Protein backbone atom coordinates (compact mmCIF):
# COMPACT_ATOMS: atom_id res chain seq x y z
CA UNK A 1 0.00 0.00 0.00
CA UNK A 2 2.86 2.41 0.81
CA UNK A 3 4.56 1.87 -2.58
CA UNK A 4 1.34 2.52 -4.49
CA UNK A 5 0.75 5.74 -2.57
CA UNK A 6 4.35 6.88 -3.20
CA UNK A 7 4.03 6.11 -6.93
CA UNK A 8 0.79 8.10 -7.06
CA UNK A 9 2.45 11.09 -5.38
CA UNK A 10 5.41 10.91 -7.80
CA UNK A 11 3.10 10.78 -10.83
CA UNK A 12 1.10 13.70 -9.44
CA UNK A 13 4.25 15.78 -8.93
CA UNK A 14 5.43 14.99 -12.48
CA UNK A 15 2.08 16.12 -13.92
CA UNK A 16 2.23 19.31 -11.86
CA UNK A 17 5.76 19.98 -13.10
CA UNK A 18 4.68 19.38 -16.72
CA UNK A 19 1.76 21.80 -16.27
CA UNK A 20 4.02 24.52 -14.83
CA UNK A 21 6.61 24.12 -17.61
CA UNK A 22 3.98 24.34 -20.36
CA UNK A 23 2.48 27.42 -18.79
CA UNK A 24 5.94 28.99 -18.57
CA UNK A 25 6.60 28.23 -22.26
CA UNK A 26 3.27 29.76 -23.29
CA UNK A 27 4.08 32.89 -21.31
CA UNK A 28 7.52 33.15 -22.87
CA UNK A 29 6.14 32.93 -26.41
CA UNK A 30 3.61 35.67 -25.77
CA UNK A 31 6.33 38.14 -24.65
CA UNK A 32 7.81 40.62 -27.09
CA UNK A 33 11.44 39.92 -27.91
CA UNK A 34 13.61 37.57 -29.96
CA UNK A 35 12.31 34.39 -28.31
CA UNK A 36 8.68 35.52 -28.37
CA UNK A 37 6.89 37.92 -30.68
CA UNK A 38 8.60 40.40 -33.00
CA UNK A 39 6.43 43.08 -34.58
CA UNK A 40 7.19 45.01 -37.77
CA UNK A 41 5.22 47.61 -39.73
CA UNK A 42 5.28 48.39 -43.43
CA UNK A 43 3.43 50.65 -45.84
CA UNK A 44 2.87 47.74 -48.25
CA UNK A 45 -0.51 46.06 -48.61
CA UNK A 46 -0.86 42.44 -47.51
CA UNK A 47 -0.95 41.20 -51.12
CA UNK A 48 2.29 43.04 -51.89
CA UNK A 49 3.93 41.48 -48.82
CA UNK A 50 2.86 38.01 -49.92
CA UNK A 51 4.08 38.63 -53.48
CA UNK A 52 7.49 39.70 -52.18
CA UNK A 53 7.70 36.68 -49.88
CA UNK A 54 6.84 34.41 -52.82
CA UNK A 55 9.88 35.66 -54.74
CA UNK A 56 13.14 34.70 -52.97
CA UNK A 57 16.27 36.27 -54.45
CA UNK A 58 20.00 35.67 -54.18
CA UNK A 59 20.36 39.00 -52.31
CA UNK A 60 18.25 37.76 -49.36
CA UNK A 61 20.08 37.20 -46.07
CA UNK A 62 18.36 33.83 -45.65
CA UNK A 63 17.16 30.99 -47.79
CA UNK A 64 13.51 30.73 -46.77
CA UNK A 65 10.12 29.22 -47.43
CA UNK A 66 6.79 30.76 -46.53
CA UNK A 67 3.88 28.31 -46.46
CA UNK A 68 0.23 28.97 -45.63
CA UNK A 69 -1.27 27.12 -42.65
CA UNK A 70 -4.88 25.99 -42.27
CA UNK A 71 -5.69 28.75 -39.77
CA UNK A 72 -4.75 31.49 -42.27
CA UNK A 73 -1.34 32.24 -40.78
CA UNK A 74 1.93 31.43 -42.48
CA UNK A 75 5.00 29.49 -41.41
CA UNK A 76 8.25 31.25 -42.25
CA UNK A 77 11.22 28.87 -42.28
CA UNK A 78 14.52 30.76 -42.40
CA UNK A 79 17.76 28.93 -43.20
CA UNK A 80 21.25 30.37 -43.09
CA UNK A 81 24.06 28.24 -44.50
CA UNK A 82 27.26 28.64 -42.53
CA UNK A 83 30.76 28.17 -43.93
CA UNK A 84 30.89 24.90 -41.95
CA UNK A 85 28.09 23.60 -44.20
CA UNK A 86 25.88 23.22 -41.13
CA UNK A 87 22.61 25.01 -41.88
CA UNK A 88 21.01 27.01 -39.09
CA UNK A 89 17.20 26.92 -39.19
CA UNK A 90 14.60 29.03 -37.44
CA UNK A 91 10.84 28.60 -37.66
CA UNK A 92 8.38 31.47 -37.14
CA UNK A 93 4.64 31.88 -37.44
CA UNK A 94 3.98 34.92 -39.64
CA UNK A 95 0.82 36.98 -39.24
CA UNK A 96 -0.16 39.90 -41.45
CA UNK A 97 -2.78 42.35 -40.17
CA UNK A 98 -4.18 45.12 -42.36
CA UNK A 99 -4.63 48.70 -41.23
CA UNK A 100 -3.14 52.08 -42.11
CA UNK A 101 0.09 50.12 -42.09
CA UNK A 102 0.39 46.38 -42.42
CA UNK A 103 1.47 44.85 -39.11
CA UNK A 104 3.77 41.85 -39.49
CA UNK A 105 4.03 39.64 -36.41
CA UNK A 106 6.70 36.96 -36.21
CA UNK A 107 6.12 34.45 -33.42
CA UNK A 108 9.19 32.34 -32.70
CA UNK A 109 8.38 28.61 -32.80
CA UNK A 110 11.64 26.73 -32.66
CA UNK A 111 15.26 26.66 -33.62
CA UNK A 112 17.19 23.79 -35.15
CA UNK A 113 18.01 21.18 -32.54
CA UNK A 114 15.06 22.45 -30.44
CA UNK A 115 16.81 25.49 -28.97
CA UNK A 116 14.32 27.70 -27.17
CA UNK A 117 16.12 30.87 -28.31
CA UNK A 118 16.69 31.99 -31.91
CA UNK A 119 20.29 31.75 -33.08
CA UNK A 120 19.97 34.63 -35.56
CA UNK A 121 20.70 38.03 -34.03
CA UNK A 122 17.71 40.41 -34.13
CA UNK A 123 19.69 42.83 -36.33
CA UNK A 124 19.94 40.20 -39.07
CA UNK A 125 16.19 39.57 -38.96
CA UNK A 126 15.56 43.34 -38.98
CA UNK A 127 17.74 43.73 -42.08
CA UNK A 128 15.92 40.88 -43.85
CA UNK A 129 12.51 42.44 -43.09
CA UNK A 130 13.73 45.90 -44.14
CA UNK A 131 15.03 44.70 -47.50
CA UNK A 132 12.26 42.22 -48.25
CA UNK A 133 9.16 44.08 -47.05
CA UNK A 134 10.33 47.65 -46.34
CA UNK A 135 9.37 46.94 -42.73
CA UNK A 136 10.70 48.44 -39.53
CA UNK A 137 10.63 46.83 -36.09
CA UNK A 138 8.13 48.33 -33.66
CA UNK A 139 8.49 45.75 -30.84
Amino acid sequence: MGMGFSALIIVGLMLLMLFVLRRQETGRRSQFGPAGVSEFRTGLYIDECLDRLDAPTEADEFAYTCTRDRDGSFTLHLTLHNPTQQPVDTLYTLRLDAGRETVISLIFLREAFNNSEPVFPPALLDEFMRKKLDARRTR
Side-chain angles (χ1 to χ4, degrees), residues 57-86:
T57 64
E58 291 293 323
D60 293 335
E61 282 77 11
F62 305 102
Y64 69 91
T65 59
C66 186
T67 56
R68 188 177 195 106
D69 295 333
R70 290 183 182 175
D71 65 355
S73 65
F74 296 86
T75 299
L76 184 63
H77 183 198
L78 302 173
T79 304
L80 182 66
H81 294 281
N82 287 334
T84 61
Q85 301 303 315
Q86 177 66 38

Side-chain angles (χ1 to χ4, degrees), residues 12-136:
L13 288 173
M14 288 175 61
L15 288 174
L16 179 66
M17 192 167 57
L18 182 66
F19 173 76
V20 168
L21 289 174
R22 281 196 174 193
R23 191 172 175 114
Q24 214 174 27
E25 180 71 12
T26 302
R28 182 188 64 82
R29 285 198 177 164
S30 65
Q31 301 283 325
F32 286 99
V37 179
S38 298
E39 184 180 280
F40 298 86
R41 292 184 183 259
T42 182
L44 301 174
Y45 294 112
I46 291 176
D47 293 339
E48 291 175 287
C49 291
L50 294 175
D51 290 343
R52 287 186 180 197
L53 287 170
D54 278 343
T57 64
E58 291 293 323
D60 293 335
E61 282 77 11
F62 305 102
Y64 69 91
T65 59
C66 186
T67 56
R68 188 177 195 106
D69 295 333
R70 290 183 182 175
D71 65 355
S73 65
F74 296 86
T75 299
L76 184 63
H77 183 198
L78 302 173
T79 304
L80 182 66
H81 294 281
N82 287 334
T84 61
Q85 301 303 315
Q86 177 66 38
V88 179
D89 293 347
T90 303
L91 206 60
Y92 289 96
T93 295
L94 174 79
R95 279 194 41 203
L96 300 168
D97 297 309
R100 280 195 336 216
E101 292 183 307
T102 300
V103 178
I104 304 162
S105 301
L106 290 177
I107 303 166
F108 177 75
L109 294 177
R110 69 169 175 77
E111 187 65 56
F113 310 114
N114 287 326
N115 287 342
S116 61
E117 298 288 326
V119 173
F120 300 131
L124 190 59
L125 184 60
D126 291 351
E127 185 65 17
F128 172 75
M129 296 300 284
R130 186 187 64 76
K131 286 181 181 176
K132 196 69 176 175
L133 300 175
D134 297 328
R136 66 191 182 291

